[in-house]
Amino acid sequence: MNSLRRAYLKRREQLRKAMFAAGPACTGADADLFTAPDVFEPEPDSVRQDREAAAKRICSTCPARSQCLAYALDIRPSEGVWAGLSVGEIRALSLWPVADHVEQEVA
């Protein structure tokens, strides 16, 4: 593993640890609320919007929101709600196109 890759993975781990150390409000919450419940069954838009709105309400009071956003911007998730933002909203904040990113993580 080259040094650039090691530094990248170390930074990602530091961001993840900082997020969890801040005490995220989603800890203990239903994980399906923050991601689609079943990837093999399509989720109707109205159901997804309601689920994401509920997740965003939890995020709105989260003490780890800024750390979660930093982590999400780094990992570029392919789905879910992170720091009170949908994947589309996170992509809009990102400076790099999604196609340029090597690894993606799911919430």
Side-chain angles (χ1 to χ4, degrees):
M1 183 181 309
N2 68 36
S3 61
L4 184 59
R5 177 78 175 148
R6 266 193 304 278
Y8 172 75
L9 292 175
K10 182 177 179 180
R11 179 178 183 274
R12 178 178 279 186
E13 182 63 16
Q14 290 170 337
L15 289 170
R16 188 184 70 76
K17 284 181 179 180
M19 178 179 63
F20 285 112
C26 59
T27 301
D30 181 6
D32 288 350
L33 189 61
F34 295 88
T35 61
D38 188 350
V39 296
F40 299 108
E41 292 186 29
E43 183 179 40
D45 285 342
S46 63
V47 173
R48 180 188 48 77
Q49 290 167 351
D50 289 346
R51 177 184 51 75
E52 287 182 351
K56 288 178 177 187
R57 281 192 296 276
I58 292 171
C59 293
S60 71
T61 63
C62 184
R65 193 167 182 183
S66 62
Q67 293 87 348
C68 184
L69 179 58
Y71 185 67
L73 288 169
D74 188 64
I75 65 168
R76 306 220 187 154
S78 60
E79 61 183 71
V81 172
W82 296 78
L85 301 172
S86 69
V87 169
E89 293 165 331
I90 291 169
R91 286 181 185 152
L93 292 175
S94 178
L95 298 176
W96 304 279
V98 171
D100 289 347
H101 191 58
V102 177
E103 297 176 23
Q104 292 185 344
E105 187 168 312
V106 176

